Amino acid sequence: MNAQTDVRERSPLALAILDTLVHRIGKDEQAARPHDWLAATIFTVRNEIIERWMETTKATHAAGAKRVYYLSLEFLIGRLLRDTLANWEKREAIAEALGQLGVSLPELEEIEPDAALGNGGLGRLAACFMESLATLDVPAYGYGIRYVNGMFRQRIDDGWQTELPETWLAHGNPWEFERRESAYFVGFGGEVTGNEQGHVHWKPAEAVEATAVDTPVVGWRGKRVNTLRLWTAISLDPLKLDAFNRGDFQAALADQLRAETLVRVLYPNDSTAAGQELRLRQEYFFSSASIQDIVRRHVQYFGDIRTLPDKAAIQLNDTHPAVSVAELMRLLIDHHDLGFDEAWGITQRTFGYTNHTLLPEALESWPLPLFERLLPRHMQLVYAINAKLLRDLRRQPGVDDRAIAAVSLIDEGGERRVRMANLAFAGSHSVNGVAALHTQLMKSTVFADLHRVFPDRINNKTNGITPRRWLQECNPGLTALIREAIGDAFLDGADALTALAPFAQDAAFTERFAAIKRSNKVALAEHLKEAMGLRIDPDALFDVQIKRIHEYKRQLLNIIETVALYDQIRSHPEREWTPRVKLFAGKAASSYHNARLIIKLANDVARRINSDPSIGGLLKVAFVPNYNVSLAEKMVPAADLSEQISTAGMEASGTGNMKFALNGALTIGTLDGANIEIKDHVGDENIVIFGLTADEVAAKRAGGYDPRAVIEGSAELSQAVNAIASGVFSPDDPARYRGLMAGLYDHDWFMVAADFDSYAAAQRDVDARWSDTAGWRRATVLNVANMGWFSSDRTIAEYAREIWGVM
């Protein structure tokens, strides 16, 4: 902390922070700890934001404007203080005021916890979208769950992932506002009854109360403040006093514990029946509360429920909130007395659905008995929707039983299950993919039959990222250099970055650009030294793969090639090897055995390579624990090479690829997801593409692919695989990776072996590019210059015009 200034020199803003510290936090400046100063600063900033929040809300009401409602199980918003101050254009003023109080704003920003409201790209995309909605002055609410512990805090113990509770709420959350007046009854189980007039009544066997907690979302330059509304759960009877008085304390608190469990953890382990039930309960809990809130607001301000599609656009972020389709139908029919056909028309015109995956296991479905037991009224409505869908389909010429089975909301093959993706598709007027290739594959694979029935429903909206957080805030040095070169226009419209392209030929500029990159690498190296005790050379090539650990994302391919490179460096010390630092980070789902094993392998490989003096420090490897937004903000600006190496046809889009390129890293990747569009924008010569295409992957799978022959035909690959399988990197347990490597020989579904030689050759091409300093620098500048199209402002503008009808 800095030295304090004389009291007489303190500004009104400094005095406001001090007043908040005393009267809101209850501390004087001598006794205040850093988290006290953090809370006092946030509360002071929040006071100004509240006024703008109310102004924009009132203006929306007065104009009778249509609102967007974005439903997502994840919102990976990260730390909010720096983001809010930057968008509010108050960072310098707050920093100066705190300095007068002897407090460092950067130090406060570092101790703010990341909100544990998400895990990966899905949640980070939702956060970018919320910020862009406010930036573009689109009235919007985000809806999700206020998780107490979120996913988990990842610790690495002896190379293994250990999951610990994420305690982000330990000191409270000064950004949030509890809205006790916005509380809704959410029921489960019970029975459904009807009368002769056709009225249906659902009497749940149990219920919780969903209460809203709001967080303001500030757009760029404070143009609009929108609302992120998260739901917390309380029991209707939090303490059964009779049981308590009997001494049965567990029974007395059982209902409250059951309610709290709904909002405790993101993505509970669903490998058990209890875990599956909890996840379905969570999804219905937040969907029901959100739809009830939307309907209540519409009726309050507009009266006629029939005008809902004119005033509300509800976007489903993947299948997690898909039960909202049935919930809206329930409210329209059971509470607003609409007929089925009219209710269905309103529902379809209100909803849009974004698909994020082509993986069948990620297209959620629920065992029919579980769904019917928890949501009996919704099961009736799903059957009714399905009946209408299939009857309408049957009237079309050329429809056979196979097409009927594929379109049905009920999967009849084996265990009967409710298909949530089909429900979301049928209940929406728009279904979008998130990259051009992904959208095309949706039409030809998972939704092929639904696409034939509804040929105009699927459309593409390629993902984007907010340049405020992912350039201006995380890379202030580069932002300042760009402003000096081309002015400030890019701050308000990222497309203006194209003006930077001519500077790629300017040696003086590219040298300054490279110096900023190196300073970011030095900062990351210092962080890793402090956090992990790891020493890395900032002049080495920083090769980074940070994302959720999954076999289709192919961290395993990267690790195997690292082992092969290690062998080559030892075998050929006479060659001019490019010094490399290989950095991995990401979390594995707690029940995903192979993903957890891949983390252990990365750590075992790192331990062996980093302790081997024979390679002269030419290669370092690290798995950085507890990947989150704040860690990404350190790693992205420091990366030289961005690993985007998923099996072609399996990554919907990716947004990490955009963040890295925007900060001057070259991409090494397959023609998958948004990599294809990045290639089109930055130019073939400024990206490194390798491997099979999506069509080639499909052809190999269909044509009897023999991975054993591929492995045995590649000397580098077979040597690396055999070393891993035989226990070279796991002497304490030589059999540890035998099964993982055997999977490559037996089926290699993710085409690790098939793409290895191409990947290894691409990495040697990267080495050659790195040795051409001028060429590398030119390519990095051109990446930044051509990434403006990938702003989430562009994505949201497309949604707003083409799906929601609000621009």
Side-chain angles (χ1 to χ4, degrees), residues 15-29 32 36-37 40:
L15 294 174
I17 295 172
L18 187 58
D19 183 72
T20 303
L21 179 74
V22 172
H23 295 104
R24 183 68 184 266
I25 309 302
K27 293 282 188 77
D28 63 29
E29 55 186 313
D36 298 319
W37 286 111

Side-chain angles (χ1 to χ4, degrees), residues 593-665:
H593 172 76
N594 276 6
R596 294 169 61 89
L597 196 60
I598 287 168
I599 291 175
K600 174 61 173 169
L601 176 59
N603 281 287
D604 279 349
V605 168
R607 184 174 61 245
R608 170 58 64 92
I609 291 176
N610 295 347
S611 62
D612 188 344
S614 71
I615 60 173
L618 287 170
L619 181 62
K620 287 288 185 76
V621 183
F623 187 95
V624 187
N626 203 39
Y627 179 56
N628 57 18
V629 176
S630 296
L631 181 57
E633 290 171 341
K634 293 179 172 66
M635 297 182 77
V636 166
D640 295 304
L641 188 66
S642 162
E643 297 271 355
Q644 308 298 329
I645 60 176
S646 54
T647 310
M650 301 192 77
E651 183 72 86
S653 169
T655 53
N657 46 8
M658 303 170 191
K659 295 162 194 165
F660 282 114
L662 182 61
N663 283 272

